[in-house]
Amino acid sequence: MTAYWCERAWLPTGPAPAVLLDVDGDRITAVRPGAEPGFATRLTGLVVPGAANAHSHAFHRALRGAGGPGTFWTWRDRMYRLARRLDPDRYHRLARAVYAEMVLAGYTAVGEFHYVHHAPGGTRYADPNAMGEALLQAARDAGIRCTLLDTCYLAGGFGTPLGEPQLRFSDGDAHAWAERVDALRPGPGQRIGAAVHSVRAVPAEQIPHVVDWARHRGAPLHAHLSEQPAENTACRAAHGTTPTGLLAARGALDAEFTAVHATHLTDEDVTSLGGAGVCLCPTTEADLADGIGPAGALAAAGASLSIGSDGHSAVDPWAEAQAVEAGQRLATGRRGHFTSAALLGMATAAGHRALGMPGGALAPGAPADLVALDLGSARLAGVELTDVPAVAGAADVRDVVVGGEHVVRDRAHRTIDVPAALSSAIDDLREDP
């Protein structure tokens, strides 16, 4: 048993002063507003639930700042070159540092969309899940909860075989993918989910096998969806429908499904996604010139909106959620699409829902995942408590508790020198000059 006393805490009813949180193991057992701190660990500022990063590609962090003219497709070529240099040890070192960076920013859970499964050329490691196990170990080392979204990737495009860089992503067919994934062994605070990389990377007849695997195990199912107009055009040419329509016809769209990006949608697509989840990654979508998705329309249709850092052009849940609102303002010329509380919900409760994990509230029975935001920062000075989620940034995160464990204290990770770990892991992956 332990306890944390919050100077102020964002409860389901809103911000409240002097809140004592009793914790047993990794769970909150009682919430007592107006309490004295006693011998509890004090968390100053405003304590909010831990954020969930619903879409991550850990190795993309090594491409942060990769500039120059081009498109998503030219960026993808550079990403493929990076993927060739990964092995289990390098992947573990990089992911450990990236996940620690996430915790510093206030993420306490991550969904890793994992598709680099095998050695270059497609040869299996002695342990076929060596890469996935490296990611799970990295999350344990960094002190972050993880849903490993093991990704099925079988084709180089509609009716197109895999290219050489993609061979290491593939298991050959969905049955072989499922057999490999069934051997993964997650630890405490971890679970295994499934992903269809995209409708261009998984032939239509294979998609139901992935859907069935997820449904039979009660696991979350994710897919990249309509990130680029070219994907929509190719899908219509091959199947006479949009990617959303194709997934719907193959039985993928339900409450356990999360579409990632969903940027270029028809009105019919928006309606079809109304009962599902949609993970928006606006900082990466801006970095890759993807476009601005219809977040307002999706929310109005009933979709559960979460956020992800995707390629990690920024690792900041607060900026990510704020960028959803900013994008809608730019697209419509109107302010105020989402309240501050709604933005916090995107970063917390909706993200946990997408990952098939509990979390996102400071309430009895919820995970003891706590993030203390420094109200004394220049950024938050003078800001009303109810507006803090719409203004805060990763630099305002002072303390982070994950599952009752104080992982970040006074802006420092308890075991990892995050800048040094990132620099070392990324330098080891750089191409020779």
Side-chain angles (χ1 to χ4, degrees):
M1 295 285 291
T2 187
Y4 290 92
W5 183 82
C6 311
E7 183 181 23
R8 298 174 181 85
W10 192 293
L11 303 182
T13 54
V19 177
L20 188 66
L21 303 174
D22 293 331
V23 175
D24 187 358
D26 67 348
R27 298 284 168 156
I28 297 171
T29 57
V31 177
R32 294 188 274 167
E36 294 296 322
F39 294 103
T41 299
R42 298 186 182 213
L43 298 176
T44 59
L46 175 63
V47 176
V48 299
N53 187 345
H55 188 69
S56 163
H57 300 294
F59 76 96
H60 290 190
R61 174 61 177 83
L63 294 173
R64 180 182 291 179
T71 66
F72 167 86
W73 306 102
T74 55
W75 169 88
R76 190 179 71 160
D77 290 338
R78 185 166 182 173
M79 181 268 289
Y80 284 162
R81 294 199 301 273
L82 171 64
R84 288 192 187 100
R85 300 192 293 280
L86 292 172
D87 58 37
D89 180 63
R90 283 173 158 177
Y91 211 2
H92 169 261
R93 291 180 59 221
L94 177 60
R96 173 180 174 270
V98 174
Y99 294 156
E101 181 184 12
M102 290 181 193
V103 181
L104 287 180
Y107 286 117
T108 58
V110 60
E112 182 63 33
F113 200 102
H114 165 53
Y115 57 86
V116 187
H117 301 306
H118 307 299
T123 302
R124 290 196 169 204
Y125 292 105
D127 174 1
N129 282 309
M131 297 292 269
E133 295 291 354
L135 291 166
L136 291 171
Q137 184 61 51
R140 289 191 287 271
D141 292 346
I144 193 169
R145 300 179 189 274
C146 180
T147 294
L148 186 70
L149 296 158
D150 199 290
T151 304
C152 189
Y153 196 126
L154 305 173
F158 297 101
T160 303
L162 294 162
E164 188 279 330
Q166 300 162 327
L167 291 173
R168 69 181 310 189
F169 307 161
S170 178
D171 291 292
D173 61 36
H175 292 291
W177 166 84
E179 182 179 4
R180 177 182 54 74
V181 178
D182 276 334
L184 280 163
R185 295 292 178 261
Q190 299 180 336
R191 67 172 307 181
I192 305 302
V196 171
H197 178 273
S198 57
V199 294
R200 67 179 186 274
V202 180
E205 69 276 8
Q206 299 278 334
I207 292 173
H209 300 302
V210 184
V211 174
D212 289 346
W213 183 94
R215 287 209 175 126
H216 289 159
R217 289 158 183 78
L221 173 66
H222 290 214
H224 291 129
L225 184 71
S226 293
E227 183 177 3
Q228 286 287 320
E231 177 183 288
N232 292 355
T233 300
C235 187
R236 285 187 181 278
H239 296 286
T241 187
T242 64
T244 301
L246 182 60
L247 287 173
R250 295 307 185 272
L253 304 191
D254 63 10
E256 305 305 315
F257 174 76
T258 296
V260 181
H261 303 303
T263 306
H264 302 280
L265 303 178
T266 66
D267 291 344
E268 184 178 356
D269 292 340
V270 170
T271 299
S272 295
L273 291 168
V278 175
C279 179
L280 305 168
C281 308
T283 62
T284 293
E285 288 153 9
D287 183 55
L288 298 182
D290 287 343
I292 298 171
L298 285 163
S304 174
L305 303 185
S306 57
I307 53 97
S309 64
D310 192 5
H312 316 303
S313 52
V315 172
D316 186 333
W318 326 107
E320 211 73 58
Q322 292 155 20
V324 175
E325 168 68 20
Q328 295 308 288
R329 293 183 184 190
L330 290 169
T332 66
R334 181 173 59 83
R335 303 178 78 233
H337 297 261
F338 299 99
T339 66
S340 182
L343 296 179
L344 180 62
M346 286 182 201
T348 58
H352 285 90
R353 173 189 179 276
L355 300 182
M357 288 185 165
L362 303 183
D369 295 349
L370 320 173
V371 175
L373 298 170
D374 182 6
L375 297 177
S377 73
R379 188 195 332 270
L380 297 182
V383 175
E384 295 284 345
L385 285 180
T386 52
D387 292 330
V388 166
V391 182
D396 299 316
V397 174
R398 181 190 291 275
D399 289 271
V400 180
V401 175
V402 185
E405 298 291 329
H406 211 147
V407 180
V408 172
R409 192 187 299 267
D410 293 331
R411 296 184 170 88
H413 194 282
R414 67 180 180 184
T415 59
I416 300 172
D417 180 339
V418 179
L422 284 166
S423 294
S424 174
I426 293 169
D427 285 346
D428 191 39
L429 286 167
R430 294 197 189 281
E431 293 180 279
D432 294 331

